[in-house]
Amino acid sequence: MPESDLEELPGVGPATADKLHDAGFDSYQSLAVAAPSELSNTADVGESTAADIVRAARGAADIGGFETGSTVLERRNEIGKLSWHIGEVDDLLGGGIETQSITEVYGEFGAGKSQVTHQMAVNVQLPQEVGGLHGSAIFMDSEDTFRPERIDDMVRGLPDDAINATLEDREIEGSADDEDAVDALVEDVLEKIHVAKAFNSNHQMLLAEKAKELAGEHEDSEYPVRLLCVDSLTAHFRAEYVGRGELADRQQKLNKHLHDLDKVGNLYNAAVIVTNQVASNPDSYFGDPTQPIGGNILGHKSTFRIYLRKSKGDKRIVRLVDAPNLADGEAVMRVQDEGLKPE
């Protein structure tokens, strides 16, 4: 939306419109979902003025009111499902990973969390008829896990029908058994993954704001952002905020960060996948003592929680721990050189 449109809001002149735009508030919708205090701090306007701007933006964007259940159902039909290309896992998740939701994937070291984010960064780019969302991906890397070579492996490991459909969709001549065509496809897939490395928790929070700007820039492009991955969500927060004395500060910042990620998903119809570290609960005498980091803040904010557990060899158990509309359950997959595969 052009900056001049913002000037139609009360209290917004050319200078304030410039500040709002520089702070990433370039549409009525982005202003409508902002808190007045956030607007005041980032755009350097008074609290009262910020409240008036947000109130007017909510009216202009027509959000925030009550609506009927049938209207909600109609809107939910716009939600996309990102396939894992593993029938058992897709069935467990009701068709795949949902857009406009945060999906948390947690598990111990080597369970395959980063493999999931890499695979989804590939799958999201596939045409919808073969389980993709015809979109691009943003990858926020806090543990130096992103490997373009792994993306290469996974593109080549896609089913032939998915490769052929994607080649046709991108107007690349050739087929799944044409080496040059697949090479071109790998390069094109890598071009549509936007990667940034987070050096600390504050930088990670800043990258979430930058991700929102990037998603806005690509909203009307041929491949809009349909996936935001954060691998891992909690690593920096866990390392920088140590001990009970800093727990409240850590949780407050983590909560703010999750809300920023959620905004990207809701505003741009993107799936948000965050990986999470775990710790062992010494008080647990029965069952699995592994517990995800982040406490209730992350537990409440995550729409779907998936626990990855190592099994024999390359097998991994995918357990759906929490979902608003799905039963808990388990599925089995394999982590192989060609990517995530059925058992």
Side-chain angles (χ1 to χ4, degrees), residues 99-176:
T99 60
Q100 301 182 36
S101 297
I102 294 179
T103 298
E104 175 197 358
V105 179
Y106 69 91
E108 62 181 339
F109 173 81
K113 302 183 297 295
S114 296
Q115 303 300 315
V116 171
T117 56
H118 281 68
Q119 187 72 66
M120 294 306 114
V122 171
N123 291 4
V124 73
Q125 300 189 37
L126 304 179
Q128 292 184 2
E129 61 265 25
V130 287
L133 296 175
H134 191 81
S136 59
I138 295 175
F139 197 109
M140 291 169 52
D141 183 1
S142 70
E143 293 189 283
D144 194 26
T145 55
F146 181 78
R147 294 292 182 271
E149 300 89 350
R150 196 71 186 109
I151 298 295
D152 187 315
D153 293 339
M154 289 177 168
V155 172
R156 298 178 192 279
L158 288 169
D160 286 352
D161 63 330
I163 292 178
N164 290 330
T166 310
L167 288 171
E168 182 180 354
D169 186 59
R170 301 190 183 195
E171 299 181 347
I172 299 174
E173 292 187 7
S175 62

Side-chain angles (χ1 to χ4, degrees), residues 4-57:
S4 57
D5 288 342
L6 298 184
E7 295 179 33
E8 297 178 8
L9 298 172
V12 179
T16 303
D18 287 341
K19 290 178 182 179
L20 291 171
H21 181 76
D22 291 342
F25 299 106
D26 52 5
S27 69
Y28 291 150
Q29 192 172 13
S30 62
L31 287 169
V33 297
S37 58
E38 178 186 5
L39 208 63
S40 178
N41 292 332
T42 57
D44 192 26
V45 296
E47 282 273 0
S48 178
T49 302
D52 290 341
I53 292 172
V54 170
R55 193 178 302 111

Side-chain angles (χ1 to χ4, degrees), residues 37-321:
S37 58
E38 178 186 5
L39 208 63
S40 178
N41 292 332
T42 57
D44 192 26
V45 296
E47 282 273 0
S48 178
T49 302
D52 290 341
I53 292 172
V54 170
R55 193 178 302 111
R58 286 173 180 170
D62 192 26
I63 68 169
F66 289 97
E67 54 192 6
T68 65
S70 59
T71 304
V72 174
L73 179 61
E74 184 178 336
R75 192 177 68 252
R76 279 193 58 80
N77 290 333
E78 299 173 5
I79 290 176
K81 297 275 191 175
L82 176 56
S83 172
W84 290 52
H85 277 194
I86 302 170
E88 194 177 343
V89 177
D90 284 340
D91 290 343
L92 180 69
L93 298 178
I97 293 176
E98 279 193 5
T99 60
Q100 301 182 36
S101 297
I102 294 179
T103 298
E104 175 197 358
V105 179
Y106 69 91
E108 62 181 339
F109 173 81
K113 302 183 297 295
S114 296
Q115 303 300 315
V116 171
T117 56
H118 281 68
Q119 187 72 66
M120 294 306 114
V122 171
N123 291 4
V124 73
Q125 300 189 37
L126 304 179
Q128 292 184 2
E129 61 265 25
V130 287
L133 296 175
H134 191 81
S136 59
I138 295 175
F139 197 109
M140 291 169 52
D141 183 1
S142 70
E143 293 189 283
D144 194 26
T145 55
F146 181 78
R147 294 292 182 271
E149 300 89 350
R150 196 71 186 109
I151 298 295
D152 187 315
D153 293 339
M154 289 177 168
V155 172
R156 298 178 192 279
L158 288 169
D160 286 352
D161 63 330
I163 292 178
N164 290 330
T166 310
L167 288 171
E168 182 180 354
D169 186 59
R170 301 190 183 195
E171 299 181 347
I172 299 174
E173 292 187 7
S175 62
D177 54 8
D178 183 337
E179 190 71 22
D180 291 338
V182 177
D183 286 345
L185 179 58
V186 169
E187 185 175 346
D188 202 38
V189 167
L190 284 168
E191 282 292 321
K192 291 176 175 59
I193 303 175
H194 310 277
V195 185
K197 185 174 180 179
F199 296 101
N200 53 52
S201 62
N202 285 326
H203 186 216
Q204 185 172 323
M205 294 176 73
L206 175 63
L207 288 177
E209 297 175 14
K210 295 294 183 184
K212 179 169 165 283
E213 294 177 15
L214 186 60
E217 291 169 6
H218 286 77
E219 186 175 13
D220 297 321
S221 68
E222 186 179 358
Y223 282 84
V225 172
R226 289 289 180 259
L227 175 67
L228 170 59
C229 292
V230 185
D231 189 18
S232 93
L233 176 75
T234 52
H236 286 315
F237 292 94
R238 187 182 189 184
E240 294 168 23
Y241 296 87
V242 181
R244 290 186 178 274
E246 298 191 33
L247 181 60
D249 288 341
R250 184 191 80 174
Q251 293 302 90
Q252 187 176 16
K253 289 186 71 173
L254 185 59
N255 189 35
K256 166 76 165 60
H257 185 43
L258 284 165
H259 275 80
D260 288 341
L261 297 174
D262 197 34
K263 279 184 185 177
V264 177
N266 282 302
L267 287 173
Y268 301 105
N269 194 24
V272 180
I273 302 176
V274 300
T275 67
N276 189 14
Q277 297 181 342
V278 296
S280 291
N281 181 6
D283 298 330
S284 178
Y285 294 99
F286 302 99
D288 192 338
T290 303
Q291 298 291 329
I293 301 298
N296 290 331
I297 291 289
L298 182 51
H300 289 310
K301 195 59 185 170
S302 299
T303 313
F304 300 91
R305 304 193 89 180
I306 297 172
Y307 175 30
L308 289 186
R309 192 170 74 247
K310 293 179 183 177
S311 186
K312 188 175 181 180
D314 61 3
K315 282 186 181 182
R316 298 294 184 272
I317 308 301
V318 182
R319 182 183 174 196
L320 182 62
V321 176

Side-chain angles (χ1 to χ4, degrees), residues 322-340:
D322 186 37
N325 61 330
L326 299 170
D328 296 353
E330 292 185 349
V332 181
M333 69 175 185
R334 293 183 181 273
V335 178
Q336 298 182 334
D337 290 343
E338 299 83 11
L340 306 184

